[in-house]
Every structure is written in structure tokens, then in C-alpha cells.
Amino acid sequence: MTDPLTVAAVFAVFLVAGGVKGLVGFGLPAVSLALLTLALDLTTAMVLVLVPSFVTNVWQAAAGGNGRAIAGRIWPFLAMATATVWLGALALVRVDVAWLSGLLGLVLVTYSALNLGGVRFALSARQEVWAGPALGAVNGVLTGMTGTFLVPGILFLQAIGMSRDMLVQALGMLFTLSTVALALALHGNGLLHVSLGSLSAAALIPAAIGMAVGQRVRKRLSEERFRRILFIALLLLGAYIVIRSGRALA
């Protein structure tokens, strides 16, 4: 993992993923995992994502000034999304990684297809009470199994009618807690190695550069157009990962 070609490839991936996050406010884990798993196994990719994901999302979670209001409203969702990560991570040492890579591909395809199709959900205050913990648990299990934090968490947060600023901050809180829980789960399963942790920390540099560039480009590029290009790319990447995993299992 320390040969120059691999390090250069990892840095290039996080430069791109950081750029995506700078442009649209999310997507660093999804994009980096999708690209890294083209050349690396899923568990290695998940470890490499940890530091860039944690640092960038702490900043996102702290910005906005609505942290107390958000936590008071969605703490059952956040608690379940955090507590169940370890359960999903158990599969990393018990299930063929090809199956989990295929699941990652399906998550990317599903999330991209929902966004491209303009699918939107709405939950009433009464439905939010039970849907939060239930969807949080599903989100946590999928995080542990695939390293992605998006589905169905982002759909829940969109469905309860948060303002744009509160939604962005709530996503930062979800992603931060999920990253910490994933790191603990990987460590508990003996998958968090010092060499990978060092490379993950170093990958924060290109990720931060990418974010800065992405935020600057955001002012010149239509966010809606970029989001469409992003989801098409994720859809194709996800489909490729599913097909490749299927061949590995055949």
C-alpha cells in the first residue's frame, strides 16, 4: 500500500471525492469507495476513507448553529444509526467480501436512481417518531457492511422537512457519528491497521484541496447540472461493481 503508484492513485481519488463534497456538500465516502474498490478490496477502501470523512464532516456538523435543535429532534435516529454500525461490520469478517461489494454497488445504484428519478418522500410528525429509529438502524447496518452513510438516512432527513441549512448540518452530524462508529467497528474486527491509518490521514490533504476547489467551482457551475452528472456516474459505477462482484462469485 506504500508503493508510489498506489499512493498517487489514492490521492487522486480523494482529490476527486473532495471536489464532489465541495460542490454538493456530500458524497466523499460514496465517491471514494466507488473509485477505490475498482482497484482495492472493500475493507481496505473503508479504512482509507475514515480520516478524510471524519475531518470534513466534523466541520460540516459544527457549521450552521442549529446543532442543539437538530440533536433534540433526531437523536433517536442518530443513536440507532450509530449503535448498529458494529452489527453490519460483523459481516466484514464472516461474509465473502464480493457479496458486500455487490451490496455497495446496489446501494449506489438505488440512491442514484432515486435522485435521478426525482423521488421525494414526506413523513408526518407522528411517522417521524417510529421511522427515525427504524431507518437509523437500517442506515447503521448498511454503513457497517458497505462503508456508505447515505441510504436511507438522507432520505429520512429530507422527508421530515428540514430547511436546507439544517439538512446539511444534520447530514454532517450523521456522517461524523457514523465514521467514528465505523472506525471502532473496523478496529474491533482487527481490520484497522496502522499503515492504512497513516495513508488515510495523508489522504486528508488532497481531500481538503479538492473541497476548496469544489467550493470555488460551485459558484460558476449549476449545482443541479453537476448533481445529475454525479448521480449518472455513481449509477454506472455501482452497476459495474455489481457486475464485477457477480462474476467473482460465479
Side-chain angles (χ1 to χ4, degrees):
M1 285 301 297
T2 57
D3 63 279
L5 186 60
T6 301
V7 172
V10 169
F11 278 23
V13 165
F14 281 100
L15 185 66
V16 172
V20 170
K21 186 172 180 64
L23 275 164
V24 299
F26 62 89
L28 187 148
V31 172
S32 54
L33 282 171
L35 294 175
L36 288 171
T37 52
L38 296 179
L40 305 173
D41 63 88
L42 178 61
T43 53
T44 297
M46 289 168 70
V47 173
L48 292 176
V49 169
L50 291 176
V51 175
S53 176
F54 176 75
V55 175
T56 57
N57 285 311
V58 164
W59 173 83
Q60 184 173 326
N66 296 304
R68 182 173 297 181
I70 293 170
R73 179 177 180 181
I74 65 170
W75 70 265
F77 164 77
L78 293 175
M80 290 301 294
T82 304
T84 55
V85 171
W86 69 272
L87 185 61
L90 292 175
L92 295 173
V93 293
R94 291 170 171 79
V95 179
D96 190 326
V97 173
W99 284 104
L100 300 181
S101 295
L103 180 59
L104 168 64
L106 285 174
V107 170
L108 294 174
V109 168
T110 301
Y111 179 63
S112 302
L114 289 172
N115 277 276
L116 288 169
V119 176
R120 295 290 184 270
F121 301 97
L123 293 172
S124 66
R126 180 175 297 180
Q127 292 171 324
E128 180 182 339
V129 172
W130 60 263
L135 294 177
V138 174
N139 203 88
V141 171
L142 287 177
T143 294
M145 295 177 74
T146 68
T148 55
F149 316 139
L150 288 171
V151 182
I154 192 171
L155 302 177
F156 168 74
L157 294 174
Q158 290 172 331
I160 61 176
M162 284 187 165
S163 66
R164 180 177 179 178
D165 289 343
M166 291 186 73
L167 174 62
V168 170
Q169 189 172 4
L171 287 172
M173 295 168 69
L174 169 63
F175 298 161
T176 298
L177 292 171
S178 297
T179 302
V180 172
L182 182 60
L184 293 173
L186 291 171
H187 177 70
N189 285 289
L191 299 171
L192 190 57
H193 305 295
V194 174
S195 60
L196 292 179
S198 300
L199 184 54
S200 179
L204 176 61
I205 297 172
I209 294 172
M211 276 191 67
V213 173
Q215 289 170 344
R216 181 165 296 186
V217 174
R218 181 192 295 178
K219 301 175 182 178
R220 303 181 181 180
L221 180 68
S222 164
E223 183 174 336
E224 185 59 35
R225 177 176 296 180
F226 177 80
R227 286 168 65 91
R228 185 167 184 83
I229 294 171
L230 168 66
F231 290 127
I232 290 174
L234 286 178
L235 181 68
L236 294 175
L237 273 174
Y240 172 77
I241 292 170
V242 170
I243 293 171
R244 187 188 60 184
S245 300
R247 289 176 176 172
L249 291 167

